[in-house]
Amino acid sequence: MLGLKKLGIFTGGLLFGTVGLKVLASDDAKKVYTTGVAAALRAKDSFMKTATVVQENAEDIIAEAKLINEEKAKEEDFVWEFEEDCEDCTYSEESSDEEAE
C-alpha cells in the first residue's frame, strides 16, 4: 500500500510538471513574459536616465564647490601666527607662498 502511494505521488508530480511545462511554453505565457520583460527594460531606461541626471548634477555641484573654495582661499590668504599660551593670537596677511620661501 505504501509503495502504491509513493508511485501515485511520483506520477502526480510527473503529470503536474509536464502540464506546467506546457503552460509555461504556451503562446499566452510567452506574451506575458514578453510584456514583463518590456516593462523591466522601460524601468531600466528610466532609472538610467535619472541616474545620469543625478551624476551630472553632482559633478556640477562639486565643480562649483571647488571654485568657491579656491576663491575663499584667495580672499583669505593669511597665515595664523600662534604663540604659546597666547590669548590674543594675531595673524599676518602674508601669502603662504612668501612664507614657504
Side-chain angles (χ1 to χ4, degrees):
M1 191 73 150
L2 187 60
L4 191 58
K5 184 177 178 181
K6 287 184 181 181
L7 181 61
I9 291 173
F10 175 75
T11 306
L14 188 62
L15 284 172
F16 183 75
T18 303
V19 171
L21 286 176
K22 292 282 186 182
V23 169
L24 293 175
S26 71
D27 289 337
D28 291 335
K30 287 180 183 178
K31 288 178 186 176
V32 171
Y33 305 148
T34 305
T35 303
V37 170
L41 289 174
R42 285 192 305 273
K44 177 190 160 228
D45 289 342
S46 176
F47 174 79
M48 294 305 290
K49 287 177 185 176
T50 302
T52 300
V53 169
V54 169
Q55 184 178 6
E56 289 171 353
N57 287 340
E59 290 171 356
D60 291 345
I61 290 169
I62 290 171
E64 289 179 27
K66 286 180 180 180
L67 288 174
I68 290 171
N69 284 338
E70 289 174 6
E71 290 173 6
K72 287 267 189 200
K74 288 177 185 176
E75 289 175 5
E76 299 175 359
D77 196 18
F78 61 86
V79 178
W80 286 95
E81 295 175 358
F82 291 99
E83 297 176 18
E84 288 185 29
D85 300 325
C86 173
E87 291 181 15
D88 297 321
C89 294
T90 61
Y91 68 92
S92 66
E93 295 199 16
E94 300 173 6
S95 72
S96 57
D97 292 334
E98 292 174 5
E99 190 166 291
E101 293 175 2

